[in-house]
Amino acid sequence: MSITTVSHALSGQGVLKRETRERIIELAKKMKYIPDWNGQNLKSSDTGLLGFFTSSISGYYGVLVESMYRECKKHGYGMEIFILEDEDLFRFLMGKRVDGAVILHSGLKEEQEKYLRDMEFPVVYLDREIKEQYASSVLLDSYRGGRMAAEYLYSLGHRRILELSGVDYTYDGQMRQMGFEDWLREKDCPVPPDYVLKCYFDRWIAYREIKAFLNKGLPLPEAVFAANDDSAFGCIKALQEAGYSVPEDISVLGCDDIELSQWYTPALTTIQTHIVEQGSLAIRELAGLVRGDKEGEIHTIEGELIQRKSCRKAGRIQIPAQSM
């Protein structure tokens, strides 16, 4: 049979006798034939896929990816994940391997944003404020989350507070740190430089940084704000190994409210950032941009305080027996 006849049978297009179509499909199944996706795209600009472009899927990113994937299925799209270095990011975007992209990647430069806009390529950003015809932003209100954390710890009577910062060149890392420090500065209670530890949203880095801090002999903090829950877990482990109790000796506050937070010991008090909502909304927004149903918007998702067992009102700091 001709290539055209076989192509029409497998794609469901054209006018063919039912017997011919069924025979071709049956033979294709026996041969375990799989269509070449790139070949199909030569005749169609639609891939049926939405992409997530990032530099990592560690920590809360797994929750984000899962929520995006579920939303993709609701809208009839598949999902492809691209974990890329800065130099590869734009090249893959230019390849148009997907119909639209959700981007959470600090490596995308301003001139590249402009190029995507000129291409009229649908994009939803999770790490910068952009509103164009084909571009939206779905952001966590990380600045307000940082302020909320500072206000809560201050309200418990804590004044000497240790801060575990995130990745300072990312949107959420910058905004959480800025909001936290701005609020305390406004209360004439600034965080001293020695009490800001760079932990990069990483549990084991936080663990090592707390160990190193305790060895310096500086006055112990009354409370710790960790820029994400993973950092808070690393902090608590280091404090417990040093003989301190959380929250009896030191309060610890996290951020994000990942699933493990409620099962940890002690259950972690944290700022719930609604990551699942961010992922779902990003895909809904992107699907609308791809279909041409809407123009770009900026959406900001506010967090909320979840009080559990890792914070308490300020009290006397206990000195662990092994350090006496």
Side-chain angles (χ1 to χ4, degrees), residues 185-227:
R185 194 178 299 111
E186 291 164 12
K187 292 292 182 180
D188 294 322
C189 184
V191 183
D194 287 341
Y195 284 73
V196 179
L197 308 182
K198 289 187 176 182
C199 296
Y200 301 97
F201 294 133
D202 186 278
R203 184 181 310 186
W204 289 105
I205 294 177
Y207 171 82
R208 292 194 298 269
E209 287 294 317
I210 290 294
K211 288 278 192 180
F213 176 86
L214 294 175
N215 288 332
K216 290 180 179 179
L218 294 171
L220 288 169
E222 299 166 352
V224 177
F225 169 56

Side-chain angles (χ1 to χ4, degrees), residues 8 10 22 25-26 84 109 111 115 132 175 229 286 290 313 318:
H8 284 172
L10 295 177
E22 290 177 350
I25 292 173
E26 182 63 27
L84 302 166
K109 306 298 188 293
E111 62 270 21
Y115 205 94
E132 305 285 351
M175 292 296 104
D229 293 340
L286 183 58
V290 169
K313 289 185 177 181
Q318 301 296 317

Side-chain angles (χ1 to χ4, degrees), residues 22 26 40 44 73 78 92 95 132 150-151 195 252 255 270-271:
E22 290 177 350
E26 182 63 27
Q40 290 180 332
S44 171
K73 290 175 66 176
F92 273 75
E132 305 285 351
E151 182 177 7
Y195 284 73
V252 177
C255 192
T270 185
I271 306 296

Side-chain angles (χ1 to χ4, degrees), residues 27-39:
L27 285 169
K29 288 180 180 177
K30 287 181 179 179
M31 296 169 68
K32 295 182 172 56
Y33 170 74
I34 299 173
D36 187 315
W37 194 266
N38 290 324

